Amino acid sequence: VRHGRVIAEAVWELKSQMLKKSGLLSLHRGSESFAHLGGLEAMKSFCLRAIRCQGHRDPLKRPRGVMLLGVPGTGKSAFAKALGHETGRPTLILDVGSLMGSLVGQTEQNIRQALRIADAMAPCILFLDEVEKALSGVTGNGDSGVSARLFGTFLTWLNDHESDVFVCATCNDISKLPPEFARAERFDGVFFLDLPGPQQKAAIWRLYL
């Protein structure tokens, strides 16, 4: 507070320190915007419309988020980070690998705490990058079912949470995802980001030139 006013930079710094102290989430603070991304017009329009409807009281109409598929280098992560800046929301990055704990029950406790933090930070964007790698151990038995329980907790939260959190997940290979994660209505939209066509290439060149 300075001269009776709350300074936005100070609030951002406090939130960033709190997240860093938890070790479960990180706060992205970048200057990316949709103007820095050539093409992807349909996806930009869809996400902006969805977020504007985020406060809808009907749980069946409450936006959940989007899944972005495509080959590496097509702008999936850049879009997720720009979405937060474009809508004036903090972008929380959830690294599922950092949730894994060495003690019994620690991983389950970590995912619940991370999701509680995301709920408390609402309205925000929750960004999961390369989610198929994070969930690769769900179907295996090598970790005594820890990955499966973590996955189950996240799916339950994705369906039931009432906070103003918009999930943006990226994926390079959907065949490696558990089918229940990518089923219909789990996300509001699933977009495939292909290599840019002639119009998109021209838009990208204009940005660089």
Side-chain angles (χ1 to χ4, degrees):
V1 180
R2 184 184 302 169
H3 303 301
R5 294 184 296 110
V6 176
I7 307 301
E9 283 296 321
V11 176
W12 272 93
E13 188 61 31
L14 287 171
K15 288 185 175 182
S16 180
Q17 290 176 5
M18 290 172 60
L19 292 174
K20 188 179 295 184
K21 188 180 298 184
S22 73
L24 305 174
L25 293 159
S26 60
L27 180 62
H28 174 73
R29 296 185 62 189
S31 58
E32 303 95 337
S33 69
F34 284 174
H36 298 144
L37 296 173
L40 309 179
E41 300 303 329
M43 195 164 68
K44 293 174 183 176
S45 175
F46 179 90
C47 289
L48 289 178
R49 288 201 314 271
I51 289 178
R52 292 190 184 107
C53 297
Q54 190 79 10
H56 208 291
R57 295 183 178 180
D58 187 348
L60 297 178
K61 297 181 180 180
R62 176 179 49 81
R64 291 178 172 83
V66 290
M67 170 86 75
L68 310 182
L69 311 176
V71 296
T74 50
K76 300 186 298 297
S77 300
F79 178 86
K81 293 174 181 177
L83 181 61
H85 184 267
E86 192 74 21
T87 56
R89 295 179 173 216
T91 300
L92 308 182
I93 301 176
L94 175 61
D95 180 7
V96 179
S98 68
L99 301 177
M100 297 295 182
S102 58
L103 302 178
V104 176
Q106 187 176 10
T107 300
E108 293 87 338
Q109 180 181 353
N110 286 344
I111 182 63
R112 287 193 292 268
Q113 182 180 353
L115 295 176
R116 280 198 299 269
I117 293 173
D119 287 334
M121 290 283 287
C124 64
I125 308 293
L126 183 62
F127 174 38
L128 289 79
D129 198 15
E130 297 188 350
V131 69
E132 83 280 7
K133 295 180 176 62
L135 300 177
S136 59
V138 168
T139 57
N141 298 318
D143 60 0
S144 302
V146 171
S147 295
R149 291 195 293 274
L150 183 152
F151 177 59
T153 300
F154 181 76
L155 278 189
T156 300
W157 174 85
L158 191 61
N159 276 346
D160 299 341
H161 77 95
E162 297 181 358
S163 56
D164 198 354
V165 180
F166 191 81
V167 179
C168 190
T170 70
C171 175
N172 293 330
D173 187 357
I174 196 172
S175 66
K176 295 181 181 178
L177 277 177
E180 59 269 35
F181 187 74
R183 72 165 177 81
E185 297 181 2
R186 190 71 75 186
F187 292 90
D188 299 310
V190 179
F191 290 87
F192 177 73
L193 281 69
D194 203 352
L195 296 175
Q199 292 182 346
Q200 288 76 31
K201 288 179 181 178
I204 294 169
W205 272 118
R206 284 195 296 271
L207 291 173
Y208 281 97
L209 293 175

